[in-house]
Amino acid sequence: MKQFLCFALLFSFFYPIAVYAKPKEKIYKNTPIEVFQAALRTAREKHVVTYVDEKDLMMTFETGVSGFSYGFVANASVEQLPDETSKLIINVQQKNTGGKGGFSFNAGDRMADKFFVQVDEELARKP
């Protein structure tokens, strides 16, 4: 009984963290087109791109399966800001295609942070 209560307590604490993710944002001192193209090249190189809307600067991509999750689906969009900068927004959600959800332990946040770094590197490569 004690083990069940411990599990229930842990589950009630981690379940909201694992299921509900908020979008992450990063500001770039580049044009929206440059940021979108760098993000698209990064997504095509590292993940599987499933949707691209170049007119509205939006895309969807999926990550691979890991030992703890069935991967993630990420929606990315780029917005123009008034001060000539751009904002890249990434919303990451678990796929849950294997029947059981599992816990990601904030792996979606880490994946988004790593994606931002990769976009930085891609922008630095441009001539």
Side-chain angles (χ1 to χ4, degrees):
M1 182 68 173
K2 200 176 207 181
Q3 290 174 335
F4 176 76
L5 289 175
C6 183
F7 174 76
L9 182 63
L10 285 173
F11 181 79
S12 66
F13 177 76
F14 283 114
Y15 185 74
I17 294 171
V19 173
Y20 302 109
K22 62 180 181 176
K24 295 196 84 166
E25 303 175 349
K26 182 166 183 186
I27 307 241
Y28 292 90
K29 293 180 180 179
N30 298 79
T31 68
I33 299 289
E34 291 172 338
V35 173
F36 181 75
Q37 289 172 346
L40 184 59
R41 283 191 302 269
T42 300
R44 285 184 171 153
E45 182 180 316
K46 308 283 184 187
H47 307 291
V48 177
V49 177
T50 56
Y51 175 78
V52 176
D53 181 352
E54 292 188 33
K55 180 181 174 212
D56 294 319
L57 304 178
M58 299 184 329
M59 71 174 144
T60 301
F61 59 92
E62 296 182 7
T63 67
V65 177
S66 73
F68 293 106
S69 77
Y70 294 107
F72 299 95
V73 175
N75 300 314
S77 62
V78 179
E79 295 179 0
Q80 170 90 38
L81 296 178
D83 59 350
E84 301 300 321
T85 59
S86 305
K87 178 169 49 173
L88 175 60
I89 304 164
I90 301 176
N91 185 12
V92 180
Q93 300 294 324
Q94 281 187 308
K95 281 189 202 174
N96 291 339
T97 57
K100 296 180 181 176
F103 292 100
S104 64
F105 300 105
N106 289 333
D109 285 341
R110 288 190 305 274
M111 191 281 301
D113 292 338
K114 187 174 180 180
F115 190 80
F116 288 135
V117 170
Q118 292 166 340
V119 170
D120 285 336
E121 292 168 356
E122 187 66 33
L123 285 167
R125 278 188 230 165
K126 99 176 177 171

